[in-house]
Amino acid sequence: MAIIEVAGLVKHYGDHTVLNGVSFTVDQGEIFGILGPNGAGKTTTVECIEGLRVPDAGSVRVCDIDPRRDDDELRQLLGAQLQTSALPDKLTVREALELYSSFYRDPADWRELIEVLRLTDKADAQFRRLSGGQQQRLSIALALLGAPRVAVLDELTTGLDPQARRDTWDLIERIRDRGVTILMVTHFMAEAERLCDRLAVIDSGRVVALDTPAGLVARVDGEQRIRFRPSAPLDPAALTVAPEVTTAMSAGEQLVVTGVGNLLLAVTTVLSQHHVVAEDLRVEQTSLDDAFVALTGRSIES
Amino acid sequence: MSTAVLQRVSLGRVLRAEIADELRGIVREPTALFFSILMPVGFFALFVSIFGDLTDGTMPAGTRMVATFGTFGVLAATMLNPGIGIAQDREIGWLRAKRVSAVPVLITLLCKVVAALCYAIAMLVAMAVTAGLTGSLEATAGQLLRLAVVLLLGAAPFALLGIAIGLQAGSNATAAILNAVLMPSAVVSGLWMPLEILPDFFGHIAQFLPTYHLSQLAIAQLDGGPVLGHALVMLGSTAALAAAAALSYRHARP
């Protein structure tokens, strides 16, 4: 059942079209990712969902509520963590949580929430004294304090070190396990691949693909590539007898073999027939990165 | 419990929490506290100790100064604190975070003004006590209470101006703009020195300033002077600045 429905969103800033017919639905209980390069329209899309921006055309419904019509009710059901927002420097974690608790009709227990978020020992620390990861966890706590049905997380892990990022991923999965539907914006492929049940790839204001991470990878050429150093000289042509092998060629001391299906088994079978061992063997498969490049024609970092 | 009751409970809780947060925020910024509270009281203490015993035949200068310096102090607190606070909250994204929470932003803005009024009351009390200690206070408790009510109500258009600027400009620019409005207005309106000892054209300009009309309304609570004309100017100013604040709110970056 769809909990967020976005249909035909169009948004212009002056002459610049930021969103050009963005449509997707998010099902209850899933982690849905919006993936795209900087300037693709990701944040504008979620701002329309959060009711912060009014689209020039199209419609948004969250929990069957139109953000433009029933803003007050939406705020009770949707928690949002913004891409760029900070708390006043001297506000403590406890004060921020108590303040936010007062905003909601039926708030979650903030003491329990900060225990889950491992902030209990920082309850009396001022915002400016928190590390980047702790500040992010606090922003998640604030987004969840109203016990929302939907949480929108915008570039949550940007600026975090790898360990803090992995910790945050674990946390997001635990939040989903509590029954919260999560809509997250990211430009980290690994994050999208690890967390998201489904992804909308947005580029230049359009949804260019909408699928599971595995589905997106499968859409592009499923070719695999194997590199290895043969223990004895071997004519690359010997490998092409296997039907899984598409090409085989020498690259210095290495052989590079491309193909489909169970390529690794096919290659190692041929090698054993020639009494050759594959040393320094590496298997390269199509990644979400490759899928993104194939779908958008450019790298996400461009 | 019905939704309506839940929402009423929620609103009272929000107001208490927001006002407490704002009061805490002001105390934690000693610089702002100095300019908006201590400086007006300090000036008042200095002037009243020098000129407080002089009289114009109706009341001692020290008593009149409770009205004029009180006007300045209330305006400084209610215009600068909410205005600069809003600009700072916008700069760090805190106001934006509030917009996606369940608190209506208008409540947040209102609470900033209410918190500033609390400090304005403390300042008026400090001025009255100072005037009393110097022996230049000749006013009944009722007169002083009316004066305080008039100044706090009359602060509305100035608070709206602070909000309008704070929603558009950065915190430094907001402080500069509001001080550039407040300080000359205070001088020209006779809030620091009586208009009688200033060049005549100050008095002519003062007629166009809400700061002057508010101070005259405050003085009228002490000497029983006319209020209608001044009150009408204040109502007109409030309406105009409410429209400006609403326009600024609509065009503020979400």
Side-chain angles (χ1 to χ4, degrees), chain A residues 47 50 52-53 75-76 80 82 84-88 90-91 95 99-105, chain B residues 6-7 10 13-14 17-18 21 24 28-29 92-94 96-103 254:
Chain A
E47 284 178 343
E50 292 162 343
L52 281 176
R53 291 193 190 276
R75 301 274 167 256
Q76 296 288 340
L82 302 175
T84 51
S85 72
L87 276 61
K90 295 179 183 175
L91 194 65
E95 288 163 356
L99 178 67
Y100 262 58
S101 290
S102 74
F103 297 167
Y104 294 95
R105 287 199 296 257
Chain B
L6 275 170
Q7 280 171 340
S10 181
R13 213 169 53 198
V14 169
E18 280 277 51
D21 182 54
R24 207 164 40 215
R28 284 177 179 167
E29 292 300 336
I92 62 171
W94 181 226
R96 195 171 158 77
K98 292 265 190 84
R99 277 193 66 176
V100 293
S101 76
V103 64

Side-chain angles (χ1 to χ4, degrees), chain A residues 9 19 43-55 60 67:
Chain A
L9 277 195
L19 302 180
T43 293
T44 303
T45 301
V46 293
E47 284 178 343
C48 291
I49 293 168
E50 292 162 343
L52 281 176
R53 291 193 190 276
V54 178
V60 175

Side-chain angles (χ1 to χ4, degrees), chain A residues 84-157:
Chain A
T84 51
S85 72
L87 276 61
D89 276 351
K90 295 179 183 175
L91 194 65
T92 68
V93 171
R94 180 193 304 276
E95 288 163 356
L97 292 161
E98 285 177 344
L99 178 67
Y100 262 58
S101 290
S102 74
F103 297 167
Y104 294 95
R105 287 199 296 257
D106 189 17
D109 181 347
W110 64 261
R111 291 166 195 82
E112 184 193 322
L113 203 53
I114 60 171
E115 197 173 319
V116 173
L117 292 164
R118 290 183 287 110
L119 282 171
T120 303
D121 61 335
K122 294 289 174 187
D124 293 313
Q126 294 184 340
F127 182 73
R128 59 181 172 167
R129 305 281 181 215
L130 301 178
S131 68
Q134 289 164 343
Q135 290 182 351
Q136 288 292 52
R137 294 209 295 278
L138 177 58
S139 73
I140 296 172
L142 295 177
L144 297 176
L145 205 52
R149 291 177 62 194
V150 176
V152 180
L153 310 173
D154 192 353
E155 302 279 9
L156 184 64
T157 60

Side-chain angles (χ1 to χ4, degrees), chain A residues 10-294:
Chain A
V10 175
K11 182 72 184 173
H12 305 283
Y13 296 143
D15 294 336
H16 182 53
T17 301
V18 183
L19 302 180
N20 193 3
V22 169
S23 301
F24 58 84
T25 60
V26 179
D27 291 334
Q28 192 162 351
E30 74 175 336
I31 300 180
F32 186 92
I34 297 180
L35 185 68
N38 290 331
K42 307 185 297 290
T43 293
T44 303
T45 301
V46 293
E47 284 178 343
C48 291
I49 293 168
E50 292 162 343
L52 281 176
R53 291 193 190 276
V54 178
D56 297 324
S59 67
V60 175
R61 295 195 79 78
V62 181
C63 305
D64 218 22
I65 291 168
D66 181 342
R68 285 174 289 182
R69 298 246 166 84
D70 197 355
D71 189 58
D72 290 345
E73 194 54 31
L74 177 74
R75 301 274 167 256
Q76 296 288 340
L77 300 173
L78 181 145
Q81 170 268 331
L82 302 175
Q83 187 179 348
T84 51
S85 72
L87 276 61
D89 276 351
K90 295 179 183 175
L91 194 65
T92 68
V93 171
R94 180 193 304 276
E95 288 163 356
L97 292 161
E98 285 177 344
L99 178 67
Y100 262 58
S101 290
S102 74
F103 297 167
Y104 294 95
R105 287 199 296 257
D106 189 17
D109 181 347
W110 64 261
R111 291 166 195 82
E112 184 193 322
L113 203 53
I114 60 171
E115 197 173 319
V116 173
L117 292 164
R118 290 183 287 110
L119 282 171
T120 303
D121 61 335
K122 294 289 174 187
D124 293 313
Q126 294 184 340
F127 182 73
R128 59 181 172 167
R129 305 281 181 215
L130 301 178
S131 68
Q134 289 164 343
Q135 290 182 351
Q136 288 292 52
R137 294 209 295 278
L138 177 58
S139 73
I140 296 172
L142 295 177
L144 297 176
L145 205 52
R149 291 177 62 194
V150 176
V152 180
L153 310 173
D154 192 353
E155 302 279 9
L156 184 64
T157 60
T158 299
L160 296 187
D161 62 58
Q163 185 56 49
R165 187 172 294 161
R166 284 193 182 82
D167 289 346
T168 308
W169 293 348
D170 291 341
L171 180 63
I172 291 170
E173 285 175 327
R174 289 209 298 277
I175 293 165
R176 190 262 295 275
D177 293 343
R178 293 160 70 109
V180 180
T181 303
I182 292 171
L183 172 63
M184 57 183 294
V185 172
T186 185
H187 67 266
F188 290 122
M189 292 294 181
E191 184 166 284
E193 208 157 11
R194 154 83 188 270
L195 288 175
C196 296
D197 298 312
R198 288 191 306 137
L199 285 167
V201 179
I202 295 188
D203 189 33
S204 304
R206 292 172 185 274
V207 176
V208 295
L210 182 60
D211 210 331
T212 61
L216 289 175
V217 172
R219 283 185 183 206
V220 297
D221 184 7
E223 189 173 74
Q224 301 166 51
R225 183 188 302 262
I226 294 176
R227 291 173 178 272
F228 61 91
R229 187 161 49 80
S231 58
L234 179 71
D235 182 359
L239 291 163
T240 57
V241 296
E244 290 87 351
V245 174
T246 311
T247 64
M249 63 185 75
S250 296
E253 290 186 347
Q254 291 189 322
L255 285 178
V256 179
V257 184
T258 63
V260 293
N262 202 341
L263 181 65
L264 183 60
L265 178 64
V267 169
T268 51
T269 303
V270 173
L271 291 177
S272 67
Q273 287 165 357
H274 290 82
H275 307 290
V276 172
V277 175
E279 294 172 350
D280 301 332
L281 183 140
R282 267 194 235 163
V283 180
E284 298 167 4
Q285 287 183 307
T286 306
S287 66
L288 196 55
D289 268 311
D290 300 321
F292 187 86
V293 172

Side-chain angles (χ1 to χ4, degrees), chain B residues 191-215:
Chain B
L191 302 188
W192 290 348
M193 286 163 280
L195 284 172
E196 292 75 24
I197 66 169
L198 295 170
D200 286 348
F201 74 91
F202 275 49
H204 298 312
I205 298 171
Q207 304 295 323
F208 298 98
L209 298 174
T211 38
Y212 166 77
H213 292 284
L214 180 57
S215 70

